[in-house]
Amino acid sequence: MPEMKIIAHIRTPFKTKFGIPRQSGVAPQVRGEIVFEPEYRVPDAVRGIDGYSHLWLLWMFSESVTDKWSPTVRPPRLGGNVRMGVFATRSPFRPNPIGLSSVELERVEYTADRGPVLIVRGADLMDGTPIFDIKPYIAYADAHPEAKGGFTDSVTFKKLSVVLPENAAAPEGLESVLENDPRPRYQDDPDRVYGMEYAGCEIKFKVTGDTLTVISIE
């Protein structure tokens, strides 16, 4: 087998795994930067990429690498109580720790020190995640409006209403992350205060019913 090469790393507001959107595209306001490794900082390598609106990213679950794997996992969307086959889910606990995400390409920035940098939106990757490959999203081949979603079609998901502190300066994209409910699916304690790091800020919040109230942004 040829060695997989890391071609880039992504910079995002997510310094830890807690709070990362469970799928790409569900928090479209979250901006990220794809910075190529020195060997691949070649403008010709991205020639024509700005003609696409979306890209596929193939990346490494760098925080979930393990020598062991299980044929079944507990998807968070099912509350963590039901086991499904690993290949019927997008769980990070796989024989090969490879992730797949579709992101929106906002623009390409050509810099003197980092070469071409891809500015993307809607990424579900932790800051510093290694990227193996980038491919264009082609609507006529990649979009399947009639596709079935397996067990995900049977689970109703409703976004939360987000209430911010008065006069709070919220980092870009924070509301779109919070409205997708970053809590573990099995937790529903209205008195519990949750904390997450986002864009260099410590966010504390509570959830009551369908309302998420931000207590502080520090």
Side-chain angles (χ1 to χ4, degrees):
M1 285 289 294
E3 179 185 357
M4 294 280 282
K5 294 181 172 60
I6 295 172
I7 65 164
H9 289 80
I10 192 168
R11 312 303 306 182
T12 72
F14 304 108
K15 300 297 184 182
T16 64
K17 290 188 289 185
F18 184 85
I20 296 178
R22 294 181 177 89
Q23 299 294 337
S24 58
V26 299
Q29 300 306 315
V30 175
R31 179 182 278 115
E33 295 183 348
I34 296 174
V35 182
F36 289 95
E37 290 295 281
E39 180 181 355
Y40 305 103
R41 293 176 184 177
V42 182
D44 279 349
V46 296
R47 183 190 301 173
I49 201 170
D50 54 359
Y52 297 95
S53 64
H54 291 75
L55 304 172
W56 288 112
L57 306 180
L58 288 164
W59 48 277
M60 183 197 300
F61 284 106
S62 52
E63 297 298 307
S64 303
V65 177
T66 177
D67 292 332
K68 299 180 180 179
W69 75 284
S70 171
T72 61
V73 294
R74 301 176 187 268
R77 198 172 181 87
L78 294 178
N81 300 314
V82 180
R83 284 195 171 274
M84 302 294 288
V86 64
F87 300 126
T89 75
R90 296 189 174 185
S91 167
F93 303 106
R94 322 184 68 80
N96 292 304
I98 298 174
L100 175 70
S101 296
S102 176
V103 296
E104 180 183 358
L105 176 61
E106 183 177 284
R107 66 183 186 277
V108 182
E109 289 186 354
Y110 294 91
T111 69
D113 56 340
R114 300 188 297 171
V117 176
L118 308 184
I119 310 301
V120 299
R121 287 187 177 271
D124 56 341
L125 287 72
M126 192 168 72
D127 185 59
T129 294
I131 295 176
F132 290 132
D133 203 3
I134 300 167
K135 300 179 185 293
Y137 177 98
I138 303 173
Y140 81 85
D142 296 343
H144 302 279
E146 74 286 358
K148 295 190 296 184
F151 67 83
T152 64
D153 285 344
S154 64
V155 181
T156 302
F157 178 74
K158 184 165 62 174
K159 291 188 176 183
L160 301 176
S161 297
V162 177
V163 179
L164 296 172
E166 188 174 356
N167 300 322
E172 181 185 31
L174 176 63
E175 287 189 66
S176 73
V177 171
L178 295 178
E179 70 182 8
N180 283 287
D181 196 351
R183 298 175 301 167
R185 291 283 189 232
Y186 53 84
Q187 291 185 2
D188 189 21
D189 182 356
D191 296 322
R192 179 168 180 171
V193 176
Y194 297 87
M196 60 176 282
E197 186 177 350
Y198 180 84
C201 297
E202 182 67 25
I203 314 298
K204 294 184 179 179
F205 63 89
K206 298 175 68 173
V207 180
T208 304
D210 294 331
T211 301
L212 183 151
T213 302
V214 177
I215 299 171
S216 62
I217 302 175
E218 299 177 358

